[in-house]
Amino acid sequence: MKLKDGLILREVAGQFVVVPTGKRVQEVTSIVYISSSGAYLWDYMKDHEFQKEDLVKKILEHYTGVTGEQAAVDIEKFLKTLADNNILDDGKIRGQVFVKMPKGTGKDGV
């Protein structure tokens, strides 16, 4: 997986904020704040494709006193936040898709 293009991270008043640019402004409609740990990971993620395990390893290398289990749980939440806000390109399609079928094409012919 990877971060979508057209996104930058800025520190504003001591908070890290994901800022969409260009066409991403239409897709990322919420203000997304991330922690300093998330900002540390962002620096790696913006230039690399990665898996959850890569991020766990980065956290364990950078921080002391963190268990692999806790890092995995926290990173799972972090990735979910990114995915839910159209920031993460993980190959999954999100949202609802509606397909209008012509009459008579349903399984019961109606």
Side-chain angles (χ1 to χ4, degrees):
M1 68 186 104
K2 61 184 178 178
L3 294 175
K4 290 186 177 179
D5 62 349
L7 300 163
I8 55 175
L9 185 66
R10 291 287 183 249
E11 186 174 359
V12 179
Q15 300 265 347
F16 292 98
V17 182
V18 177
V19 180
T21 62
K23 67 181 181 177
R24 292 288 175 231
V25 171
Q26 296 173 354
E27 297 173 10
V28 181
T29 57
S30 300
I31 297 175
V32 179
Y33 295 96
I34 63 175
S35 67
S36 59
S37 299
Y40 167 74
L41 291 174
W42 184 279
D43 192 49
Y44 171 77
M45 294 163 62
K46 67 184 170 87
D47 297 321
H48 300 90
E49 288 196 19
F50 54 87
Q51 297 298 318
K52 177 180 154 185
E53 295 76 21
D54 300 324
L55 303 181
V56 170
K57 182 178 177 187
K58 296 294 279 180
I59 288 295
L60 294 176
E61 290 172 353
H62 189 72
Y63 295 97
T64 59
V66 178
T67 66
E69 295 79 20
Q70 186 58 53
V73 168
D74 291 347
I75 288 170
E76 187 67 36
K77 290 177 189 175
F78 175 59
L79 292 175
K80 182 176 181 341
T81 297
L82 296 180
D84 289 349
N85 286 284
N86 295 314
I87 293 169
L88 187 65
D89 184 356
D90 60 0
K92 295 179 183 175
I93 298 174
R94 290 180 171 73
Q96 298 179 341
V97 177
F98 295 96
V99 178
K100 186 173 183 176
M101 299 294 291
K103 289 185 179 187
T105 59
K107 70 176 186 176
D108 57 0
V110 181

